[in-house]
């Protein structure tokens, strides 16, 4: 038997040829397991890289501007500060004290939101005093405290919560929610 003949290429074109091009990479090792694991030698392990470590603040660095976070050990009681903040804010919203008294306890954003003029109806209406129940404190991270309480006025209960962050050696309210 003879091999089938190939048809001739069309006029004006040359026949296709297969050319092997060497790859620029070294050939694959067919024995990777033998190369990595040898009898009597331990299996190499990747070096662990620990994540970022929490910072401990001992004071203001000389080259840093703005508020400096403060650790819990250098701050006063979060419960007492939280009670004072919530009482002051609720009394200011009820019109019993000037709103400017809240400014040193809050961040600029919280103070701007309080001074925008929108007050909860239950704070603005009525003449009964605002009473604050037990203040609960949760500290999820060093230098951060989340506080919550129930405010009572005219026989009704309302939820109040705030986030305090330790900045420059004192607690400052960075979020306030009045329900």
């Amino acid at each position: 038997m003879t091999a089938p003949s190939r048809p001739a290429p069309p006029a004006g074109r040359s026949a296709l040829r297969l050319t092997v091009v060497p790859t620029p990479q070294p050939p694959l090792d067919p024995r990777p397991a033998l190369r990595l694991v040898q009898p009597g030698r331990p299996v190499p392990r990747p070096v662990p890289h620990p994540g970022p470590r929490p910072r401990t603040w001992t004071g203001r660095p000389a080259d840093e501007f703005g508020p400096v976070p403060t650790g819990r050990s250098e701050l006063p009681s979060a419960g007492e500060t939280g009670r004072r903040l919530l009482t002051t804010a609720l009394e200011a919203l009820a019109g019993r004290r000037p709103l400017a008294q809240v400014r040193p306890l809050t961040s600029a954003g919280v103070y701007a939101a309080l001074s925008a003029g929108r007050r909860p109806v239950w704070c603005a209406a009525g003449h009964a005093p605002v009473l604050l129940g037990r203040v609960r404190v949760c500290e999820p991270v060093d230098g951060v405290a989340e506080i919550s309480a129930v405010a009572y006025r005219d026989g009704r209960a309302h939820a109040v919560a705030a986030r305090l962050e330790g900045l420059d050696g004192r607690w400052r309210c960075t979020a306030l929610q009045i329900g």
Side-chain angles (χ1 to χ4, degrees), residues 3 33 68 76 79 86 89 92 104 126 156 171-172 174 176:
V68 176
L86 295 179
R156 298 192 62 171
W171 290 112
R172 184 171 293 168
T174 57
L176 180 64

Side-chain angles (χ1 to χ4, degrees), residues 17-43:
R17 293 184 317 160
L18 177 63
T19 306
V20 178
V21 178
T23 61
Q25 300 174 350
L28 294 176
D29 186 2
R31 306 170 296 150
L34 295 176
R35 188 174 44 142
L36 293 177
V37 180
Q38 296 175 356
R41 299 188 81 184
V43 177

Side-chain angles (χ1 to χ4, degrees), residues 23-121:
T23 61
Q25 300 174 350
L28 294 176
D29 186 2
R31 306 170 296 150
L34 295 176
R35 188 174 44 142
L36 293 177
V37 180
Q38 296 175 356
R41 299 188 81 184
V43 177
R45 305 263 184 223
V47 178
H49 296 287
R53 298 177 192 259
R55 295 188 201 178
T56 55
W57 300 96
T58 58
R60 181 183 291 273
D63 61 342
E64 189 170 325
F65 296 99
V68 176
T70 306
R72 177 67 183 102
S73 62
E74 301 171 17
L75 294 167
S77 168
E80 293 173 11
T81 304
R83 174 171 285 284
R84 186 177 63 152
L85 165 77
L86 295 179
T87 303
T88 305
L90 291 173
E91 288 179 354
L93 291 173
R96 295 187 163 254
R97 65 171 61 216
L99 191 60
Q101 291 183 1
V102 181
R103 181 177 232 156
L105 303 172
T106 61
S107 65
V110 172
Y111 183 74
L114 288 173
S115 61
R118 293 178 294 150
R119 297 189 289 172
V121 175

